[in-house]
Amino acid sequence: MDDQRPSAHTLAVHHGRVFALDEAGLHGRVELDAQGATVVPGFGDAHNHMAWFGQSLSSVDLSGLDQLSELYDRIAERAQTLPANGFVMGAGYDDTAIGGHPHRGALDKAAGGRPVVLRHRSGHVTTVNSPVLERLGVLDGSAEVPTGGVVVRDEHGDPTGTLEEQAQNLVNPLLVPYPTGELAEAIGRASAVYAAEGLTHVTECGIGGGWVGRTPVELAAYQRARDAGTLTVRVQLMPVADALHPLAAHPEDNLNRGLDLGLCTGFGDDRVRLGPMKIFMDGSLVARTAAMLAPFCDRHSHGYLQDDPELLRTQILDAHASGWRVAAHAIGDAAIDLALDIFAEAQRRHPRPDARPRIEHAAVTNPAQIARMAELGVTPVPQARFLYELGDTMAAAIGPDRVAGLYRHGSFLRAGLRVPGSSDRPVATGAPLLGMQSMVQRLTSGGAVLGPDERVDALTALRAYTVDAAWIAGEEHTRGSLTPGKLADFVLLGDDITTIPADRIGTTEVVATFVGGTRVHGPREW
């Protein structure tokens, strides 16, 4: 993936870095015969939720279900293993697949009165049962629902148990903060999965606060996993906007908002580093809470923003002025317009040529927005695997007239933008090879092709998960390609994915994964 040296047959590693390619006369202290495997740079995931995914591995798995009755059965089965006051935690359910959100009454019966907290696969909805609603003050009306959140009610005005967007924060005091030891173990579980899939670097999109954060001291959990040797991938961490606070710095410094001691994007080393500030502009297409210019086809709603537009504007402007790169979660086209307006104002006020602002997901875009992204230097971070796993319901949500603008790729590239590979795991399957296959095919699980003009070839897809994933992290000079001097992060694959049929990319074997020249997955003799 080095434009100056597209391919080679031998790779020399010294002190964790690429030393040479195809250089005659070199002999290694350790020599590995790759036996015909294809060697590529380690894969990066520019948008994932590592701690959330690691914790979900010990929750009741509700993914892939197609009936509510199956969900209730799984909740009942787990409840029988817990004490009378134990929380039943579940993750990954999809209301569009099972015929609706679970109802609190049915959850009460399934769990035998135990509290139940179920996370929707999108992460933008949580469903709970009556004991939880009672503790939150929802049933007696004493709960104060945060701006940008909805407590769903039935036709009689009674809470159903479903909490949308910021209303999920009502549940946090019952669960958060999680102990850092528990989180470190979850991160270790996730890391083992990532290594087996060829991932050597991931960006954790949201720590320290909000409904996505696990604890105000979340970075400590990653440091703990690193010290224990269970964090085998490199990690960039995005603090959420809620985690930043006013700083009492000198007025000339423009350090208005940030973390204590003035820490900001870039602090850390090549193992654990601070990334951009993450801010939520809107919600989810699957949950029909994204902020749209035109209403959803299957619901008389335009969605909504996560907070007052002026507050969102102030948070982004302050973070930009304080030296942070900014990643704005904006899925609907109305939210994208707002994000672009604020990014433009931020650069006018405090020009930073290499600020690399990002729009996470950029799910529904039009040509004018794409042109503006290119003009402002704003990078879209879409998730191609959504097309396969969620594409059919997304298409139903926005209709045939808008489906061509869904999670674009080719149009972004033609405008001169980079498109880093990412998954939003655990919202979708996070294996990079599956993501690449979706970039090439753009198939839904129902067999439809969404936006055929947005398809790219396999080499471009590989570039997204290597070179471009490194670039958006600001680390293109140290990783992303197998270039002498860069970190020796590489993957051995059972096939050359740039030459095989597209439908085989996702099932290609990851033979081994190396981080800094050290094996983190693969045969022990290597």
Side-chain angles (χ1 to χ4, degrees):
M1 300 306 293
D2 183 339
D3 292 337
Q4 304 303 314
R5 183 63 175 274
S7 63
H9 293 87
T10 64
L11 170 71
V13 175
H14 187 56
H15 286 292
R17 292 184 178 264
V18 177
F19 182 70
L21 299 167
D22 284 351
E23 187 164 325
L26 287 180
H27 297 283
R29 184 177 63 187
V30 175
E31 295 191 352
L32 168 65
D33 179 357
Q35 300 176 10
T38 299
V39 182
V40 296
F43 303 141
D45 188 330
H47 183 122
N48 98 117
H49 301 280
M50 190 173 190
W52 172 13
F53 171 66
Q55 285 185 301
S56 73
L57 295 176
S58 60
S59 298
V60 182
D61 182 7
L62 304 175
S63 61
L65 302 182
D66 56 14
Q67 296 182 55
L68 270 168
S69 60
E70 293 181 80
L71 180 146
Y72 296 134
D73 287 344
R74 292 195 182 184
I75 297 305
E77 183 179 354
R78 175 61 62 90
Q80 292 174 6
T81 70
L82 299 173
N85 61 348
F87 273 77
V88 182
M89 305 296 297
Y93 84 87
D94 184 346
D95 64 301
T96 64
I98 61 179
H101 292 284
H103 191 276
R104 65 180 173 101
L107 290 174
D108 294 345
K109 181 178 179 180
R114 294 171 181 82
V116 178
V117 178
L118 309 181
R119 179 64 66 89
H120 189 270
R121 70 173 302 171
S122 69
H124 290 261
V125 175
T126 296
T127 293
V128 300
N129 66 343
S130 300
V132 176
L133 291 177
E134 185 175 4
R135 295 189 196 189
L136 301 181
V138 171
L139 296 183
D140 64 13
S142 62
E144 294 187 13
V145 181
T147 301
V150 172
V151 173
V152 177
R153 298 176 182 274
D154 62 21
E155 65 274 16
H156 304 295
D158 294 327
T160 65
T162 297
L163 309 174
E164 294 181 352
E165 302 298 343
Q166 295 297 325
Q168 297 176 101
N169 285 328
L170 293 170
V171 184
N172 277 359
L174 302 182
L175 304 172
V176 176
Y178 293 99
T180 55
E182 177 182 327
L183 290 178
E185 291 177 0
I187 290 164
R189 290 194 296 269
S191 190
V193 174
Y194 291 3
E197 295 171 346
L199 283 163
T200 58
H201 185 280
V202 297
T203 296
E204 165 66 84
C205 286
I207 67 167
W211 56 261
V212 74
R214 325 314 272 181
T215 172
V217 293
E218 202 158 348
L219 193 152
Y222 284 86
Q223 184 172 347
R224 188 163 175 171
R226 170 186 169 159
D227 293 345
T230 57
L231 181 62
T232 58
V233 298
R234 307 182 193 277
V235 180
Q236 188 177 78
L237 304 170
M238 285 188 187
V240 295
D242 298 11
L244 274 57
H245 56 78
L247 299 174
H250 192 281
E252 292 182 3
D253 294 331
N254 282 324
L255 295 176
N256 302 317
R257 181 173 293 272
L259 301 178
D260 291 334
L261 303 180
L263 305 182
C264 68
T265 304
F267 181 82
D269 59 16
D270 60 26
R271 286 285 177 168
V272 179
R273 190 187 304 274
L274 283 177
M277 177 270 271
K278 164 81 173 289
I279 186 166
F280 285 92
M281 309 295 285
D282 69 345
S284 160
L285 275 183
V286 176
R288 293 0 181 218
T289 56
M292 305 291 291
L293 293 173
F296 290 103
C297 294
D298 54 0
R299 190 176 299 184
H300 298 297
S301 167
H302 289 74
Y304 49 88
L305 296 173
Q306 291 274 300
D307 215 322
D308 177 79
E310 185 58 29
L311 179 59
L312 296 172
R313 171 180 168 273
T314 299
Q315 289 178 310
I316 292 176
L317 293 178
D318 283 352
H320 174 85
S322 300
W324 287 89
R325 289 179 174 172
V326 177
H329 167 114
I331 284 183
D333 44 12
I336 291 169
D337 274 343
L338 177 60
L340 292 174
D341 287 345
I342 301 172
F343 283 146
E345 182 180 356
Q347 286 288 24
R348 286 196 305 270
R349 289 181 169 221
H350 301 282
R352 287 173 51 205
D354 199 31
R356 300 188 193 183
R358 309 165 42 142
I359 292 184
E360 307 305 302
H361 310 298
V364 182
T365 54
N366 57 52
Q369 290 174 327
I370 296 172
R372 199 171 183 210
M373 287 182 195
E375 176 189 355
L376 296 173
V378 175
T379 301
V381 186
Q383 291 71 42
R385 194 61 186 171
F386 280 10
L387 297 171
Y388 181 80
E389 298 189 12
L390 303 167
D392 291 318
T393 186
M394 289 179 175
I398 63 175
D401 293 340
R402 288 181 284 177
V403 76
L406 190 63
Y407 286 92
R408 297 179 188 264
H409 196 150
S411 292
F412 291 143
L413 295 178
R414 289 188 287 273
L417 296 166
R418 292 175 181 258
V419 182
S422 69
S423 68
D424 199 21
R425 188 192 329 233
V427 178
T429 305
L433 290 170
L434 287 173
M436 293 180 216
Q437 181 170 321
S438 287
M439 289 176 175
V440 176
Q441 293 183 309
R442 294 186 64 87
L443 283 173
T444 72
S445 58
V449 177
L450 298 182
D453 292 342
E454 302 298 333
R455 290 178 292 196
V456 299
D457 60 36
L459 186 62
T460 301
L462 177 59
R463 183 180 182 89
Y465 274 93
T466 54
V467 176
D468 292 333
W471 181 86
I472 193 57
E475 298 176 0
E476 68 272 25
H477 300 300
T478 59
R479 61 181 182 83
S481 65
L482 295 177
T483 302
K486 290 190 177 183
L487 294 166
D489 300 349
F490 54 93
V491 181
L492 278 64
L493 299 177
D495 272 309
D496 179 352
I497 63 170
T498 67
T499 63
I500 62 176
D503 60 4
R504 287 176 47 200
I505 294 175
T507 56
T508 297
E509 180 187 6
V510 176
V511 179
T513 304
F514 288 77
V515 175
T518 299
R519 178 189 59 81
V520 295
H521 165 72
R524 291 188 178 275
E525 59 268 23
W526 289 2

